[in-house]
């Protein structure tokens, strides 16, 4: 005997999947726009001469799993994308960045990131209705947090100098590049589930 | 810039007597930032050492020039023969190519633009690659251009447009 609520449950799941798919398409479209704008804004920020900053370079040990997104599943991809953008947002929100760059540029950058974070959170809320969170996602998020902790520590040790921010800007460019790849991976998975 | 490594001498760009040197195959990684430096010597004395004020970030700075192509018009379809160079830059070999770049074949007729994005990989991008644009309206003029589109950022360099009038009686042996 079929549970009388079976069809209602199926309908809700189907509706959620459809809404999730539509929302994902919109979020991916926005993400591509945010990716482009972030890179443009980040590279508008004035930097010290590269020559004088070369001695300040540091290897922040970007987690290898980020570099190879095909190693993990779609639900992890969203979580990691959100964590990276959140960490970049936190990094540039510190008051110590404003001394080096024009306030309006930083604010525009933060606004773009904040808007995208909100879209991603809605999507992750929808995804949570389909599946519960996993330990794997949390481990990957933790690796991202530790990576950004290294960046924060570096800035503090370098007393938030102009060269330190130049080095960090270069590193965030790398990070945004992997955000492009994560976005591309989500797009492909959406087209070929 | 991502690691505190020593600067590397570019082997094919030592004792340069001309006004430029091609560094295309020096760039290895799309997300990396590179800083070029030019040093001039007279004997053992360093005369000049200039570090570029602007760094090179292939992820956004790189734009590929479009490939050469030919078109052959038939009654209701056009064969586009894209001619890739025999060797592609090191940075695009492997996954770099299809992840970061896509080939676009744009067809315009009657003011309507249609974009075709054939899938490319490291094998198809050397030598000739043929793509057929079908279901076209006969007895009309169609124009085609071909270019590479970066996945998110980077400038697009469009190719010159080539046009053909589709006449009746032109049948392709391939369809």
């Amino acid at each position: 005997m079929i549970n009388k609520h079976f069809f209602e449950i199926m309908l809700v799941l189907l509706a959620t999947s459809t809404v999730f798919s539509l929302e994902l398409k919109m979020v991916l479209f926005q993400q591509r726009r945010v990716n482009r704008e972030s890179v443009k804004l980040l590279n508008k920020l004035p930097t010290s001469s590269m020559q004088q900053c070369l001695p300040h370079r540091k290897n922040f040990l970007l987690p290898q799993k980020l570099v190879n997104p095909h190693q993990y599943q779609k639900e992890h991809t969203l979580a990691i994308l959100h964590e990276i953008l959140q960490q970049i947002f936190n990094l540039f929100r510190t008051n110590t960045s404003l001394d080096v760059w024009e306030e309006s540029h930083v604010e525009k950058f933060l606004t773009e990131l904040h808007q995208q974070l909100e879209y991603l959170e809605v999507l992750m809320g929808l995804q949570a209705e389909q599946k519960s969170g996993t330990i794997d996602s949390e481990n990957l998020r933790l690796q991202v947090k530790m990576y950004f902790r290294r960046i924060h520590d570096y800035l503090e040790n370098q007393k938030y100098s102009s060269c330190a921010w130049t080095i960090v800007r270069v590193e965030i460019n790398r990070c945004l590049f992997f955000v492009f790849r994560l976005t591309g991976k989500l797009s492909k998975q959406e087209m070929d589930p | 810039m991502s690691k505190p490594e020593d600067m590397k001498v570019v082997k094919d760009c030592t004792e340069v007597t001309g006004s430029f040197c091609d560094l295309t195959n020096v760039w290895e990684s799309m997300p990396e930032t590179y800083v070029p430096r030019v040093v001039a010597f007279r004997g053992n004395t360093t005369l000049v050492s200039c570090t570029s004020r602007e760094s090179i970030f292939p992820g956004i700075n790189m734009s590929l020039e479009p490939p050469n192509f030919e078109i052959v018009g038939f009654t209701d379809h056009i064969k586009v023969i894209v001619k890739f160079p025999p060797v592609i830059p090191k940075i695009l070999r492997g996954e770099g190519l299809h992840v970061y770049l896509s080939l676009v074949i744009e067809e315009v007729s009657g003011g309507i633009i249609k974009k075709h994005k054939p899938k490319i990989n490291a094998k198809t991008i050397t030598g000739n690659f043929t793509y057929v644009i079908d279901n076209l309206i006969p007895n009309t003029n169609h124009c085609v251009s071909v270019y590479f589109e970066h996945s998110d950022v980077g400038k697009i360099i469009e190719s010159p447009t080539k046009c053909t009038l589709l006449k009746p009686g032109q049948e392709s042996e391939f369809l």
Side-chain angles (χ1 to χ4, degrees), chain A residues 34-74:
Chain A
V34 166
N35 291 346
R36 282 192 300 270
E37 291 305 313
S38 296
V39 170
K40 277 184 201 169
L41 282 170
L42 208 53
N43 287 287
K44 264 187 194 172
L45 303 174
T47 55
S48 300
S49 155
M50 284 293 179
Q51 167 79 40
Q52 71 191 57
C53 295
L54 290 179
H56 299 270
R57 287 173 294 162
K58 183 174 171 63
N59 185 353
F60 295 105
L61 303 173
L62 182 70
Q64 280 306 299
K65 283 195 175 176
L66 277 189
V67 175
N68 297 307
H70 50 265
Q71 287 183 17
Y72 42 83
Q73 297 159 15
K74 181 157 93 176

Side-chain angles (χ1 to χ4, degrees), chain A residues 6 11 62 70 117 125 183 191:
Chain A
F6 174 75
L11 207 57
L62 182 70
H70 50 265
L117 281 165
T183 311
M191 281 163 49

Side-chain angles (χ1 to χ4, degrees), chain A residues 32 35-36 39 43 47 49-51 53-54 57-60 67 70 166-167 169-171 173-174 177-178 180-181 183 188 192, chain B residues 1-7 30-33 35 37 50-55 57 59-60 95 98-100 119 150-153:
Chain A
R32 295 208 121 92
N35 291 346
R36 282 192 300 270
V39 170
N43 287 287
T47 55
S49 155
M50 284 293 179
Q51 167 79 40
C53 295
L54 290 179
R57 287 173 294 162
K58 183 174 171 63
N59 185 353
F60 295 105
V67 175
H70 50 265
T166 296
I167 300 300
R169 190 208 77 173
V170 167
E171 187 67 21
N173 267 340
R174 283 181 84 214
F177 197 78
F178 293 113
F180 299 166
R181 289 184 64 179
T183 311
K188 274 192 174 174
D192 304 315
Chain B
M1 287 294 288
S2 69
K3 294 173 192 173
E5 292 174 348
D6 290 335
M7 284 204 137
M30 292 284 259
E32 187 57 75
T33 297
V35 179
R37 178 190 284 167
C50 295
T51 303
S52 169
R53 186 177 169 76
E54 297 294 329
S55 52
F57 181 41
I60 58 167
E95 86 168 13
H98 70 270
V99 169
Y100 308 123
K119 286 198 174 163
H150 195 293
S151 60
D152 278 304
V153 289

Side-chain angles (χ1 to χ4, degrees), chain A residues 3 28 70 115 177:
Chain A
N3 187 309
L28 289 176
H70 50 265
Q115 193 168 52
F177 197 78

